[in-house]
Amino acid sequence: MSKKIHSKRRSFLFTATYTIGAVGLGATIWPLVDQMNPDSSVKSLSTTEVNVGNIEPGKTLTVLWRGKPIFIRRRTKKEIDEAAKVDLKDLIDPEKDSDRTKNPEWLVMIGICTHLGCVPLGGKGEYKAWFCPCHGSHYDTSGRIRKGPAPKNLEIPKYEFVDNNTIKIG
Amino acid sequence: MLIRLNNLLVKVFFIVFVIIISGSANSEEKKIEFIKNNWSFEGIFGTFNRASLQRGYQVYQEVCSGCHSIQHLSYRNLVEKGGPEFTLDEAKSIAEQFEILDGPNDDGEMFTRPRRLSDKFANPFPNVQTATAANGGAYPPDMSVLVKARKGEWNYIYSLLLGYEEAPAGHELDEGVYYNKYMPGNKIMMSKPLFEGAVEYADGTQATETQMAKDVTTFLTWAAEPHLEARHKMGFKVFIFLIILLTLVYFSKQKVWSRLDSKENSDQKEETFDKVEKAVTEYEGEDPKTFK
Amino acid sequence: MSEEKYVPKSKLARWFDSRLPLLSLSHHLTEYPTPKNLNYWWTFGGILTFFLIAQIVTGIILAMHYVANTDLAFDSIEHIMRNVNYGWLIRYAHANGSSMFFLAVYIHIFRGLYYGSHKPPREMIWITGLIIYLLMMSTAFMGYTLPWGQMSFWAATVVSNLFGAIPLVGENITAWLWGGYSLGNPTLNRFYSLHYLFPFLIFALVVLHIWALHVPGNNNPIGIDVKKNRNETMSFHPYMVMKDLLAMLVFILIFLGFVFYAPNFLGHPDNYIPANPLVTPAHIVPEWYLLPFYAILRAIPSKLGGVIFMFASIFILVLLPWLDTSKVRSAVFRPLYKKFYWVLVVMVILLAYLGAKPPEGIYVILARIATAYYFIHFLIILPLLGRYEKTSPLPTSISDPVLDKLSIVDKFKKTAAEYEGENVDTFK
């Protein structure tokens, strides 16, 4: 008779203890895990401002952002027109050129081949744009994959024009 | 024999303790009382006063940074929670006042550029040796953790800043050496840094010596312990939690241990008792209780 | 230690356990018979295990961010304190955890000394414990060097110079330790490597320590062997698990009190000054838990003598089971031993106090007296006590506190036997 009530009260106490204990354990483990996340000094470098005032049309500037190469190309009119004319049906990874740029004169891309991660060479390949020597991927003047094993177009990072001469990446 | 030895030891003990207690009272290192002040960051609920931190930064920048580096601080720390909490733009414009050597660029040359939030605070000297040579052979210590590196911590720094006095009679001071009441050994090679009005506070507070000393000490304490507020906040939550958990575990433990007085256990003891009682009663018929 | 063989319930469990007896081990640990009269001084083994694990976990995490190079070490720790997420918390936990570890180990050791846990048949528990203690001190000493602050550098210089006192080979040994002509980068790197290694050696020795314990079983406050068939033990789980947990939480409360509200109280301000080989601090002191040995070291006038006495002070503890010749285990029944025990405690605390004082005047005299007492206590007093001490009467078991007071059952038996003369055993 009293044993049943006893056990109910007893098990509530134990359940409560286990629960609070588990909360405590979780709260203790979180800092031990979070310490491996990027620390504040790394996060402060998560954006890079680049001065692009000196880049002439037809020239590419390569900068490091978060340890990765970024191609900043000031495109010529010819390159812009070529990129716009391409039929989406011909693309391995269909994407409009206007969707890849904020200002068509400026192409900002992460310079890492989407196949296995090599850095493509500029001014080379069938489209005279970018060619990855590792396995033969060809990218066009919009950085889109046209031929070769790469599955996707060169990635466009988050960026914005802080002013006419400065791009903030990240 | 051993008991006599024991008594002797007790006596030796007593004498030893008396010596120690009297010894501590007049030890060679005179106990110096620091100048008293109320610090908002002291105590288990301590926090920093933002305005004081911002003023303190100004004092550091305009008075101290000429000689003292604070190399572990970055300009972004001025914006982060728990510190002076300048705005992003304020901190950016502070950083931009200082240049940093960067490079090499694509031409292979080094160049200077304005500092960014992610950069560290500018050092007044390129290295320790230059700093030492420029200050009469005494290196102005880096201030990043200076408050933690001195006995007395912020009270010591505060008192030192206000502790410049006339050397007492007979105290010979070399050129470039000053008398300070709180410096161990009383000789310091830093001249008095704070004078009334040395800084014109941006928030209009009157820049008395004690005001500046208090603000810069607060700033330096934050510089040494930028996570102090987070630590206090977390500590409070942790303690409340632990007290709750401790209570629960205590009662759980009691509950578990009460099983030892449980029915089964006492049943066993009862059985033995009954058995003996019965046997004796059968044999005599007398009340077993009288045996007690 | 006779136990019935544990047979797991499920077939899979039996298959597993017959090949790798982890389930049997777990069963042994949960059922392990613990004396039912243990007091809270017996919870420190559990507390120590907690702190060993805590130090290893926080240490491995710190090792992810720390750089062992004399130019970068101090900066890397500031980086941990300022930039790494919760870095300040993990660093303060590791530094204060070290102090808590030693506080617990001293209580644990002195508990052993009081209740005679070092006496036969528990000598190997005592000796493995001393090896653990030695490894702890080495680990802590090397760990303290890693921040490369002033105290790191100079305390390490002083201690490593001690080896120079060894005749003939001293200089070579010191150079070998340093990897150079003074404390430098090679030293820092090897200390880092060994500091990471030793805690795992400690862990292995703890396993041996507990294994050695489980052979005779725990000692208890009155030092009388328990009889397992007389209801004098309880299963380790859940009784001791809950009790240990409670004690652990209280100790953790104290530990976190330091971490959150006085994280630098047990440390030395000078270690926030980057190491400078050209400037010696006014007072070089090790961390508080090494102070008694530091005091003994400085008490002896000769350099080599100080080193010898310092190591001897730990070595004679190894001999303790053979120096303490008394047949009675627990100080509860040894009134004279009890008094000398407390004298020893006070002397050790006094030595710790003196270790932090400059070696001048009265402090030197007191340190010599305390050192002398320490050695006399173990080498002379204990063996003499074993021979001549008049101990109090011992109870027959832990259930019967004192020999004179008969239990109720015994009383009945006695009276009944007197009355008739018949065999009392038939009553059962």
Side-chain angles (χ1 to χ4, degrees), chain B residues 6 9 13 19-20 72 76 144-145 148-149 223 225 227 231 235-236 246 253 256-257 276 283-284 291, chain C residues 40 75 81-83 88 92 239 249 253 260-261 269 272 339-340 346 350 353 362 412 419-420 422:
Chain B
N6 177 47
L9 270 162
F13 234 16
I19 293 173
I20 292 179
H72 291 108
R76 60 177 168 86
S144 312
V145 286
K148 290 197 284 194
E225 283 271 331
H227 298 286
R231 174 161 57 84
F236 180 68
L246 200 66
K253 183 249 176 194
V256 165
W257 278 65
V276 177
Y283 210 83
E284 248 318 305
F291 288 153
Chain C
Y40 273 91
D75 295 349
M81 295 290 287
R82 290 164 193 276
N83 300 328
W88 55 270
Y92 278 148
Y239 301 104
L249 274 176
L253 202 73
F260 285 104
Y261 297 113
Y272 278 106
K339 292 201 174 69
F340 283 109
V346 172
L350 178 63
Y353 172 81
I362 187 81
F412 271 123
Y419 213 83
E420 251 315 303
E422 237 178 76

